[in-house]
Amino acid sequence: MASAGPEKELKCSLCLHLYTDPVVLRCGHNFCQICIYQVLITQDRSGVYFCPECREEFQERPSLVRNITLCNVVKNFWSNRGEDASIPCTYCVDPPAPAVRSCLHCEASLCANHLRVHSKRPEHILADPSTSLQTKKCSAHKELLKYYCTEDAACICVSCSLIGEHQGHKVELLDEAFGKKKEKLRNVLQKLITNRIKTQGRVENLEERRRKLQDQASREAEKATALLMYIRRCLDDLEKGVLRDLSRREERLSQSLSDVIQNLETKKDELSRKMRHIGELCNMTDPLTVLQEPDTGELCDPEEEGGEEDTGGRDEDDWGAEIISHISQTLSDIIRGVCVAYVTYAQTPVDILLDVNTAGNNLRISDDLKTATCTKIRQNRPETAERFRYNRVMSRRGFTSGRHYWDVEISKSGLWSVGMCYPSIDRRGQKSYIGDNNKSWGLGGGSGPDIPYSVMHDSKVILLPHQISSDGVRICLDYEAGQLSFYALCDPIRHLHTFTAAFTEPLHAVLYVRNGFINISGSSR
């Protein structure tokens, strides 16, 4: 018996049986002729033709070329299994010639010579050579099976229909029933092929989803690892800083206490000297000597001797409280840094392109649609309803969901403002300034030290308590949470302000610049 390996290679991928009349497509894949024909009938409806195996598309319906080599391989495979071994002629003596036909009536196989002299009467029905002629006759009446009983789904002879157990049943000619059965099988095969194609498509879609899920899980793992590394680094820095500060404080206070101790030791020696001298005076008997000594009050000042020595001016409880306060403040800074890092890691960097159709005519937009530069030369653009009258420009893309961020580089000179706005913002009037209406939120500032940085929405201005030392600003949007945040791109990143609102329209990035430029990077990490 042939091995499973070659047999698997000789199976059609559509019907999963050995090839029958195999044909080959231009891509090189083989199918049973009837199988691929049914597939092409299905594809006729959409007008898109492709190979069910490799999904290669064809501009027009592919022609089916019979694969002669594969036909011979399949034939040889059957021959090796004994299915097509030569059947000897029943009437030859020695050696028997191979039969070319079999007579169902005589139940005999005939070679070419005996076939020429065989009876030509109608009851002598000839068929392809076979060793199982008995299966073509009725087991009860030994007559040829010529009819098909539709009620019992059985092949019967004439006698079965007239006098046998199938008498009075609805019958059909065998060829007619055979044609109907094949047509039914073709329909079933077409449905199976269609279902298999759909199943294959679902498998491919699910595999694509699984690949995307794995990629997303890998990205999230990288983000989590980076965030945890950042937290560990901050805690390590805090530990080193606290221990270093404790060491410096201990050293400074220890030196202070050593100085106090040294002063006290000197004072103790002086007191001992005075005590000896006074003791000697007390033991003298000569009144003149004792009375000529200086006043004993000068030798010992009660206030001086009874005073408290300076121990450094700071008790230990205050010192410990200061250390704890320092640690608490540092931890607060770390937590704020972690929150900023989470914003960076959790949100998706996006690529922002500026919409020239909205740019004011005193703004020059770069070819890559990333930079807006203020110019005194007016740009020759048509004045339309969507174009800003003043030096402002919106992004092409609007956001209606998700968490995203992008970075903005600000020039050293001039006034600027960055933020987000609804597409329904006024673009021609005085209220078209970013934040000077209820349809936009902005962060603005200038290059001079006397120009404060501020955030603005619905004409309400909030001055920021600190300057932005960096030339970069990060804008973070969480649409569903209704949060729009601004960060200074210094080291570490500093949170500036967060607006909270229930967003009702798509949000577009918007820029304003005077006497300078603004560049939107928006590049991925």
Side-chain angles (χ1 to χ4, degrees):
M1 183 175 180
S3 62
E7 182 176 353
K8 182 178 179 181
E9 297 298 326
L10 296 178
K11 285 185 177 181
C12 173
S13 61
L14 297 177
C15 65
L16 303 180
H17 291 92
L18 292 176
Y19 288 114
T20 302
D21 296 328
V23 294
V24 61
L25 298 180
R26 289 197 301 270
C27 59
H29 289 104
N30 298 282
F31 305 94
C32 296
Q33 185 176 20
I34 183 63
C35 295
I36 191 62
Y37 180 75
Q38 296 294 339
V39 171
L40 295 177
I41 290 177
T42 303
Q43 295 178 355
D44 282 336
R45 300 169 185 168
S46 62
V48 178
Y49 301 97
F50 55 89
C51 171
E53 187 75 19
C54 66
R55 316 294 289 183
E56 178 180 343
E57 294 190 4
F58 308 107
Q59 296 296 328
E60 55 186 14
R61 180 170 179 159
S63 58
L64 304 179
V65 181
R66 193 164 184 262
N67 193 332
I68 304 297
T69 303
L70 188 56
C71 287
N72 294 333
V73 172
V74 175
K75 184 177 180 181
N76 292 334
F77 178 80
W78 283 116
S79 177
N80 292 334
R81 296 185 62 179
E83 299 290 340
D84 249 344
S86 298
I87 299 174
C89 177
T90 305
Y91 300 109
C92 289
V93 181
D94 192 25
V100 293
R101 302 289 282 175
S102 293
C103 178
L104 303 181
H105 180 74
C106 302
E107 297 184 6
S109 298
L110 309 168
C111 65
N113 292 330
H114 286 101
L115 181 62
R116 284 195 297 269
V117 297
H118 190 70
S119 176
K120 301 298 190 292
R121 287 185 295 178
E123 64 269 20
H124 292 270
I125 300 175
L126 299 177
D128 292 334
S130 175
T131 58
S132 57
L133 298 177
Q134 290 295 331
T135 60
K136 300 182 182 296
K137 286 189 175 184
C138 175
S139 60
H141 304 102
K142 305 303 179 182
E143 296 180 9
L144 290 175
L145 300 174
K146 293 185 177 181
Y147 299 96
Y148 179 76
C149 177
T150 58
E151 296 183 16
D152 297 329
C155 296
I156 62 176
C157 65
V158 176
S159 297
C160 290
S161 176
L162 296 178
I163 59 176
E165 61 181 6
H166 299 280
Q167 183 180 0
H169 291 185
K170 183 178 179 181
V171 297
E172 295 177 347
L173 290 174
L174 205 61
D175 290 341
E176 181 181 350
F178 174 63
K180 292 181 178 179
K181 185 64 175 287
K182 287 186 67 175
E183 182 62 27
K184 184 182 295 185
L185 290 175
R186 288 191 186 97
N187 293 334
V188 173
L189 178 61
Q190 181 177 352
K191 292 180 180 179
L192 291 176
I193 292 173
T194 302
N195 289 337
R196 187 183 184 279
I197 294 175
K198 291 181 179 179
T199 303
Q200 179 65 24
R202 291 186 61 191
V203 169
E204 293 176 357
N205 290 336
L206 290 175
E207 288 178 347
E208 178 65 18
R209 287 181 58 187
R210 181 173 63 180
R211 185 189 63 79
K212 291 182 178 179
L213 178 62
Q214 292 173 344
D215 292 343
Q216 182 179 2
S218 177
R219 290 194 300 269
E220 294 302 325
E222 291 178 359
K223 293 177 182 178
T225 300
L227 182 58
L228 292 173
M229 288 179 61
Y230 175 80
I231 294 174
R232 283 193 290 267
R233 188 173 66 250
C234 290
L235 292 176
D236 289 342
D237 293 342
L238 173 61
E239 180 183 9
K240 293 176 183 178
V242 169
L243 294 179
R244 188 171 53 249
D245 187 58
L246 285 172
S247 178
R248 286 198 299 264
R249 288 168 182 257
E250 185 272 336
E251 182 179 357
R252 185 173 62 253
L253 290 177
S254 178
Q255 181 62 42
S256 176
L257 291 175
S258 297
D259 294 342
V260 173
I261 291 173
Q262 184 177 359
N263 292 334
L264 291 175
E265 289 289 344
T266 302
K267 184 174 294 187
K268 185 180 70 172
D269 293 341
E270 179 65 20
L271 290 174
S272 296
R273 186 189 64 78
K274 290 182 178 180
M275 289 171 58
R276 288 193 301 272
H277 180 64
I278 293 176
E280 292 174 354
L281 293 176
C282 291
N283 293 327
M284 288 183 178
T285 57
D286 182 13
L288 185 61
T289 302
V290 173
L291 292 174
Q292 287 180 344
E293 282 292 325
D295 191 355
T296 55
E298 296 178 1
L299 299 177
C300 180
D301 186 354
E303 293 184 2
E304 179 184 354
E305 300 301 330
E308 295 293 334
E309 297 293 340
D310 184 12
T311 60
R314 180 178 304 169
D315 58 34
E316 296 180 358
D317 290 339
D318 292 340
W319 180 32
E322 183 177 348
I323 293 296
I324 295 299
S325 175
H326 171 69
I327 294 176
S328 176
Q329 180 61 41
T330 306
L331 284 174
S332 298
D333 295 339
I334 290 176
I335 293 173
R336 284 196 297 270
V338 169
C339 292
V340 174
Y342 174 77
V343 168
T344 300
Y345 295 128
Q347 294 180 322
T348 305
V350 292
D351 194 21
I352 299 293
L353 299 178
L354 300 178
D355 187 357
V356 180
N357 294 326
T358 66
N361 272 322
N362 283 108
L363 287 183
R364 184 174 67 249
I365 308 300
S366 62
D367 294 337
D368 61 357
L369 304 180
K370 294 285 189 179
T371 305
T373 304
C374 178
T375 176
K376 295 181 179 180
I377 303 175
R378 287 184 59 82
Q379 308 298 303
N380 189 20
R381 306 190 192 107
E383 295 289 347
T384 60
E386 61 179 340
R387 187 177 308 286
F388 283 102
R389 174 179 295 177
Y390 304 107
N391 299 6
R392 286 176 269 286
V393 60
M394 285 172 50
S395 66
R396 286 182 173 182
R397 179 179 179 181
F399 299 93
T400 57
S401 63
R403 295 180 298 177
H404 315 276
Y405 76 84
W406 58 94
D407 298 337
V408 178
E409 178 189 0
I410 303 165
S411 64
K412 296 289 186 179
S413 61
L415 299 175
W416 56 269
S417 180
V418 296
M420 303 204 75
C421 69
Y422 291 151
S424 59
I425 186 175
D426 178 21
R427 309 190 190 191
R428 312 296 293 174
Q430 294 294 328
K431 287 293 184 179
S432 62
Y433 190 85
I434 302 174
D436 201 17
N437 47 71
N438 62 358
K439 298 181 181 293
S440 61
W441 297 258
L443 166 72
S447 60
D450 56 338
I451 301 178
Y453 292 86
S454 63
V455 290
M456 185 175 183
H457 170 65
D458 201 12
S459 301
K460 298 176 182 178
V461 180
I462 300 175
L463 297 179
L464 298 182
H466 42 259
Q467 294 284 347
I468 301 177
S469 59
S470 171
D471 295 331
V473 173
R474 175 162 294 174
I475 303 174
C476 298
L477 170 66
D478 189 338
Y479 194 94
E480 283 81 5
Q483 291 184 344
L484 178 64
S485 302
F486 298 92
Y487 297 85
L489 293 179
C490 48
D491 188 17
I493 298 176
R494 176 185 295 177
H495 174 254
L496 299 176
H497 187 78
T498 294
F499 287 107
T500 301
F503 301 128
T504 57
E505 297 183 37
L507 283 172
H508 293 254
V510 60
L511 311 176
Y512 163 79
V513 59
R514 192 177 74 182
N515 300 330
F517 72 88
I518 292 182
N519 174 265
I520 292 185
S521 60
S523 57
S524 303
R525 288 179 285 110

